[in-house]
């Protein structure tokens, strides 16, 4: 739990809007096929006042009109990190440069940590299959 607390504190440094962080983590959950993370991040976005259109459209963000340019590059970044590329490179210099237009160094590292944070929990969700909406300690099927 100490690691979790440190990661949470690090990504909540104010350099990236919390909504963007939740959008990125929602997309990561979708890519990984984790119902637990998808439901959890969608709920966080609802609590923050996000519309159902924006939440639902994360799955099809490239052609959805609901996202800012900064949010789009953050979503593009999480997809690049989590989607295998047959040619090897996932985050190209061009993508990094595009992200750097919208985020300074601190914000880029914060986004990177937010992606790693959700990736830290995805194996637990895929193996243990926690039940969305149930309290911790009571949310496992096994």
């Amino acid at each position: 739990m100490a690691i979790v607390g440190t990661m949470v504190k690090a990504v909540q440094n104010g350099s990236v809007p919390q909504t963007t962080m939740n959008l990125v983590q929602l997309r990561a959950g979708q890519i990984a096929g984790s119902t637990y993370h998808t439901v959890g991040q969608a709920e966080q976005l609802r609590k923050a006042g996000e519309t159902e259109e924006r939440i639902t459209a994360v799955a099809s963000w490239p052609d959805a009109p609901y996202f800012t340019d900064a949010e789009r590059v953050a979503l593009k970044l999480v997809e690049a990190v989590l989607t295998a590329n047959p040619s090897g490179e996932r985050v190209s210099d061009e993508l990094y440069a595009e992200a750097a237009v919208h985020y300074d160094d601190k914000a880029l590292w914060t986004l990177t940590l937010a992606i790693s944070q959700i990736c830290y929990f995805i194996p637990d969700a895929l193996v243990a299959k926690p039940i969305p909406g149930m309290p911790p300690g009571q949310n496992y099927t096994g």
Side-chain angles (χ1 to χ4, degrees):
M1 289 310 288
I3 293 170
V4 173
T6 301
M7 290 175 80
V8 168
K9 184 177 178 183
V11 299
Q12 293 179 343
N13 63 34
S15 65
V16 177
Q18 187 60 48
T19 297
T20 302
M21 303 295 258
N22 290 118
L23 292 170
V24 163
Q25 292 184 335
L26 171 58
R27 187 66 189 127
Q30 291 170 338
I31 292 167
S34 170
T35 299
Y36 181 76
H37 290 299
T38 301
V39 170
Q41 292 302 320
E43 183 60 28
Q44 290 296 318
L45 287 161
R46 283 185 193 97
K47 286 180 182 177
E50 287 298 321
T51 65
E52 286 302 312
E53 289 82 7
R54 276 176 49 92
I55 295 167
T56 304
V58 168
S60 58
W61 68 268
D63 67 353
Y66 307 114
F67 305 104
T68 67
D69 290 342
E71 290 169 338
R72 287 179 183 287
V73 78
L75 291 166
K76 189 184 287 189
L77 186 63
V78 71
E79 284 194 6
V81 169
L82 296 180
T83 305
N85 182 348
S87 66
E89 185 176 47
R90 293 187 186 194
V91 179
S92 67
D93 291 343
E94 292 81 14
L95 176 52
Y96 183 88
E98 184 180 351
V101 168
H102 299 282
Y103 299 103
D104 63 18
D105 285 345
K106 181 178 181 179
L108 277 171
W109 280 111
T110 300
L111 278 172
T112 302
L113 186 57
I115 294 167
S116 68
Q117 180 184 27
I118 196 76
C119 290
Y120 179 83
F121 293 107
I122 285 173
D124 289 337
L126 296 177
V127 172
K129 297 180 179 60
I131 302 165
M134 295 293 292
Q138 299 174 15
N139 61 345
Y140 289 96
T141 58

